[in-house]
Amino acid sequence: MIIAYWNTQRASGLASANQNARARCVWCCEQILRWIIATAETHQALPSLIFLAEVSQGGGELAAYLNTTYSYRARYIPAGDKNNNPSPCSFIVMWQETLNPEIKVVGASQRRPVLRVRLDDLTVGAVHIIANPSKAPDEIYGDITELNDEDQPAVLIGDMNYAWDRLFEPQIGNPGGFAQEIKNHFRWKPVPPGLQATYGRRSPEAGRTQTQILDYLWKSPDVSRIEAMPPIPGYNQWTLIDHAPIAYRIHLNDEDELMSEAEDEMDDDLRAAASGSRR
């Protein structure tokens, strides 16, 4: 099973600063669709779930477009802040039409919620954690607490807004850092995204791009095997979108690595549609 996540709308680069949020999200949708085709061709597997975050503007229209695309279904999940204004926690979730996901927003309204998707043998939580490094660990802890009660393997994927390197910094009373704290309480572990950076901010004054890993995944102890497979390996297009897409292949119970007959037919539809769009 392959799941992906992309924080799509915020752009700190000069090249996209004058584009509206919808235009940037459309660009990301195009990249995601290309990745779906490339994944089918390269790995003989189709992504099962794809989350687009930061879709508070134009999310319904984009979801309607994605909902008619190549054997996938899509749903816009709006979220409001404490004043009921459009929130950056809004999502679009895409899934293979052969799946029957149970999708629900969980979590207290005063903090950024978790988009919880339950499948037959895996629960996936998608998040966009608060952009405050001093508060992000509390939200991550609370979200893992929420998912830890699931009676099947679970993962938490998203923009954690807490740099990967900081997970392992010694803390007062906890020399192993935040990652060790989570491991001690829940036996969950973070999994790197397979990219040197998932976030980059261009600094015209300094003449360079400052990058760090902010987007990654946490897994419960009953996830047997997992591997990162970045949709855009070596992503460095920080002047277009300031986050990179991430994806992971999750292996459950030694599942078959090859596409099923239904997925193979979906792959044929994808290729035919892509070929038609290039004419």
Side-chain angles (χ1 to χ4, degrees):
M1 177 179 296
I2 299 170
I3 60 173
Y5 175 98
W6 203 351
N7 183 343
T8 64
Q9 280 200 348
R10 295 299 175 101
S12 60
L14 298 178
S16 58
N18 294 324
Q19 294 182 7
N20 62 36
R22 181 183 180 279
R24 296 194 294 268
C25 195
V26 166
W27 181 83
C28 290
C29 289
E30 292 173 349
Q31 305 308 307
I32 283 288
L33 295 176
R34 290 175 183 173
W35 170 65
I36 291 172
I37 297 170
T39 301
E41 294 175 344
T42 304
H43 299 281
Q44 287 296 294
L46 290 171
S48 296
L49 286 174
I50 301 169
F51 300 94
L52 301 179
E54 287 273 9
V55 291
S56 53
Q57 300 180 50
E61 182 181 357
L62 290 168
Y65 162 71
L66 292 171
N67 194 48
T68 62
T69 305
Y70 315 147
S71 302
Y72 279 85
R73 292 292 174 261
R75 178 178 164 192
Y76 173 49
I77 311 291
D81 60 17
K82 62 183 179 181
N83 298 316
N84 205 31
N85 295 316
S87 164
C89 338
S90 299
F91 286 93
I92 291 175
V93 56
M94 293 176 63
W95 65 92
Q96 287 186 26
E97 64 180 359
T98 54
L99 300 177
N100 185 29
E102 175 193 308
I103 303 172
K104 184 177 181 181
V105 176
V106 298
S109 60
Q110 67 268 20
R111 65 180 175 85
R112 296 191 173 205
V114 182
L115 179 58
R116 187 191 66 198
V117 178
R118 283 178 177 159
L119 304 174
D120 288 342
D121 50 6
L122 179 73
T123 297
V124 182
V127 290
H128 180 196
I129 296 295
I130 188 171
N132 183 331
S134 65
K135 297 181 179 180
D138 288 340
E139 284 203 357
I140 294 170
Y141 188 98
D143 295 341
I144 291 177
T145 301
E146 183 87 46
L147 296 172
N148 194 57
D149 292 334
E150 295 292 304
D151 58 2
Q152 60 184 2
V155 297
L156 180 71
I157 190 171
D159 179 357
M160 302 296 166
N161 270 314
Y162 194 70
W164 176 267
D165 292 343
R166 295 194 64 182
L167 292 175
F168 310 97
E169 289 181 351
Q171 301 173 339
I172 297 176
N174 184 15
F178 182 56
Q180 186 64 48
E181 179 183 353
I182 294 294
K183 183 178 180 181
N184 291 343
H185 282 89
F186 305 106
R187 297 194 298 134
W188 284 53
K189 295 180 180 179
V191 183
L195 291 168
Q196 290 186 336
T198 66
Y199 170 79
R201 178 175 290 276
R202 178 83 176 166
S203 174
E205 298 81 8
R208 68 177 186 275
T209 300
Q210 299 173 330
T211 63
Q212 55 188 328
I213 296 176
L214 293 182
D215 306 75
Y216 46 90
L217 175 145
W218 297 82
K219 75 175 190 69
S220 67
D222 43 1
V223 173
S224 56
R225 289 189 297 134
I226 189 168
E227 60 184 297
M229 40 188 310
I232 304 178
Y235 181 93
N236 61 4
Q237 301 178 61
W238 309 119
T239 59
L240 292 172
I241 300 293
D242 61 355
H243 280 264
I246 61 173
Y248 295 83
R249 186 167 191 164
I250 301 169
H251 304 266
L252 299 169
N253 303 319
D254 297 321
E255 63 185 354
D256 190 351
E257 300 291 330
L258 300 179
M259 288 192 291
S260 66
E261 183 175 341
E263 287 181 321
D264 192 49
E265 292 178 357
M266 289 171 64
D267 181 32
D268 291 340
D269 293 340
L270 282 164
R271 296 182 192 217
S275 176
S277 67
R278 287 195 291 266
R279 294 194 183 117

